[in-house]
Amino acid sequence: RLAMSTVKVNALQVTPRPFYIADCRGRVAATGNKLQGKGAENVSNYTATELYFCDILNIHTMRESQSALAAMLMPDADYSVSESMPPTAAAGDPSYLSAMEKTGWLRHVSLVLSASIWCAKKMTFEGASVLVHCSDGWDRTAQVCATSQMLMDPYYRTIEGFAVVIEKEWLTFGHKFQQRVAHGDPDFNNQERSPIFIQWLECVWNLTEQLPAAFEFDERLLMFLADHLYSCLFGNFIGNTDRDRWTELKVREKTTSVWSYVLHYSERFTNPMYETIGEPLWPKCAIRDLKLWERYYLRHNPDAHPSRYSGKVWVDDYGDSDVRGSFDDGESLERKSSVLSSPGSPRGLGVLEEEEAAEALGAAEDEGDGE
């Protein structure tokens, strides 16, 4: 139907490029929102337009799903190393896989990746424009848009580019970090809490597991960001909007940017297998092809750690390096300045102006590590 749609331009019949709307909600949820007076498109009002629903569920479902996952992953109290341990104890809970399925967590990750791949393919192979939205535009929309860009553009698969896409699609577009993470909120039943950003990091982690050579960074950077989403050691993830951070909380003056640390210690996060792959990535997104992010969920369970013969070691970086106070040296400042694009650049980090880099890099020592 899209290919047959034509419009008249200067007395000529022109076939426009297709325009797709990716509604991250399910059809039922969108209909319910519409009955409440909220927005939903009527594609008959537009030319060469198709509307698709991505069936990604809301923040409340994600919170409940992760809570069920965390409860399921608690260490088995019946399993202990002792002489009286029966021979079947090490086999664990026989219902583990069915319990994992009941949480729905990998299904949710699969749907985010599926929607992202769909958007990327429409833009890559059809040259189409894709409008992405959900109920509000700062949760599921951020997940899908950020992932789609990483699939299409190799720049966003570099350490610098990854910082840019987070600043652009998550921070600048208004993901409500303060409410979703609930910094300083004693109400653990707050219904605005939801692990949306952690879920997206897990989506990216699955991409790096499937296509490791395509990413300049590895799991260590994802773990670092997951930890400092909650630590408040850096100011990037405090507040709900840029206005909150820059005007009210003044994180530029009071905290250090997480990217200052990441770029200074970039060798800690660099993937030794990295290759510059200029073409788009098309990962698998079926549940059978996805993995649970064990490094994140199971690191506090000693029994879950990899064997010393596996070649893997789980070491946490909490941003408290013994040389943390020295990342205002000349070499670091030069690198920091080089990655900050000029004002107005669509790929600029947008975290700090170039002339402010020195102040930010010394903020941890001069002003404290964060709020």
Side-chain angles (χ1 to χ4, degrees):
R1 187 175 72 84
L2 290 176
M4 298 178 64
S5 299
T6 60
V7 295
K8 183 174 290 187
V9 179
N10 295 330
L12 297 175
Q13 292 295 327
V14 177
T15 301
R17 290 187 177 184
F19 180 71
Y20 296 99
I21 300 173
D23 190 329
C24 293
R25 302 169 294 180
R27 186 183 296 275
V28 174
T31 301
N33 289 159
K34 188 175 181 180
L35 292 175
Q36 298 174 24
K38 299 181 180 180
E41 294 86 4
N42 181 354
V43 294
S44 63
N45 294 330
Y46 306 96
T47 301
T49 300
E50 287 279 5
L51 170 65
Y52 290 88
F53 295 96
C54 302
D55 292 328
I56 304 171
L57 300 183
N58 61 29
I59 62 170
H60 311 296
T61 300
M62 300 309 171
R63 181 181 60 252
E64 294 166 1
S65 178
Q66 193 194 53
S67 294
L69 178 68
M72 186 205 80
L73 294 175
M74 289 292 290
D76 189 349
D78 296 330
Y79 173 48
S80 60
V81 179
S82 68
E83 294 180 359
S84 61
M85 184 178 68
T88 58
D93 184 355
S95 63
Y96 176 84
L97 292 179
S98 59
M100 171 71 75
E101 181 183 5
K102 288 179 181 179
T103 70
W105 185 254
L106 288 181
R107 171 62 174 168
H108 301 318
V109 171
S110 172
L111 288 171
V112 172
L113 289 174
S114 177
S116 304
I117 294 168
W118 182 88
C119 292
K121 285 186 174 180
K122 291 299 181 184
M123 288 184 276
T124 300
F125 297 124
E126 298 183 26
S129 296
V130 181
L131 168 66
V132 182
H133 72 78
C134 51
S135 297
D136 297 298
W138 48 56
D139 292 308
R140 292 167 282 192
T141 302
Q143 291 178 322
V144 172
C145 289
T147 309
S148 297
Q149 291 171 71
M150 294 183 70
L151 295 176
M152 292 186 290
D153 191 338
Y155 172 73
Y156 295 119
R157 303 194 288 266
T158 65
I159 293 176
E160 178 190 334
F162 191 55
V164 170
V165 82
I166 290 175
E167 286 288 328
K168 180 164 65 77
E169 298 298 331
W170 290 90
L171 293 158
T172 303
F173 274 96
H175 177 69
K176 302 197 295 185
F177 281 99
Q178 189 74 30
Q179 290 189 12
R180 297 294 180 259
V181 180
H183 289 308
D185 185 354
D187 182 8
F188 292 100
N189 295 317
N190 188 328
Q191 295 300 297
E192 289 298 310
R193 291 174 182 257
S194 191
I196 300 301
F197 188 70
I198 292 292
Q199 185 181 61
W200 178 70
L201 291 178
E202 187 164 350
C203 290
V204 176
W205 176 80
N206 269 281
L207 298 181
T208 64
E209 284 290 292
Q210 291 188 34
L211 305 160
F215 294 84
E216 186 185 17
F217 56 89
D218 57 23
E219 182 179 43
R220 292 170 294 176
L221 178 57
L222 302 176
M223 284 295 304
F224 182 80
L225 294 175
D227 284 336
H228 294 296
L229 172 65
Y230 292 95
S231 75
C232 296
L233 185 61
F234 304 96
N236 303 67
F237 304 124
I238 302 173
N240 289 322
T241 65
D242 279 346
R243 182 179 182 276
D244 289 348
R245 285 182 283 274
W246 297 350
T247 304
E248 298 181 11
L249 300 173
K250 299 186 183 301
V251 298
R252 287 188 173 186
E253 292 80 17
K254 297 180 179 180
T255 69
T256 300
S257 168
V258 69
W259 309 122
S260 300
Y261 188 95
V262 168
L263 294 171
H264 181 77
Y265 298 117
S266 59
E267 71 282 353
R268 298 183 181 182
F269 310 111
T270 300
N271 173 17
M273 297 186 294
Y274 174 61
E275 301 176 12
T276 302
I277 299 175
E279 61 190 42
L281 304 181
W282 307 120
K284 299 175 182 179
C285 61
I287 296 177
R288 66 174 180 270
D289 299 311
L290 302 180
K291 301 177 183 178
L292 176 69
W293 193 8
E294 294 183 350
R295 174 73 176 85
Y296 179 74
Y297 291 107
L298 301 178
R299 60 176 161 165
H300 299 302
N301 180 357
D303 295 326
H305 280 234
S307 166
R308 61 177 177 172
Y309 303 115
S310 68
K312 294 182 179 180
V313 180
W314 289 357
V315 178
D316 294 322
D317 183 345
Y318 293 114
D320 55 353
S321 169
D322 56 355
V323 290
R324 176 166 168 72
S326 67
F327 63 171
D328 57 348
D329 57 86
E331 181 181 353
S332 174
L333 289 177
E334 182 179 354
R335 170 122 200 248
K336 179 64 178 174
S337 297
S338 69
V339 300
L340 290 172
S341 303
S342 59
S345 170
R347 285 182 167 180
L349 284 180
V351 185
L352 300 169
E353 297 295 337
E354 193 167 326
E355 60 269 16
E356 295 173 327
E359 295 181 15
L361 292 172
E365 181 177 348
D366 298 336
E367 299 288 349
D369 290 331
E371 293 188 347

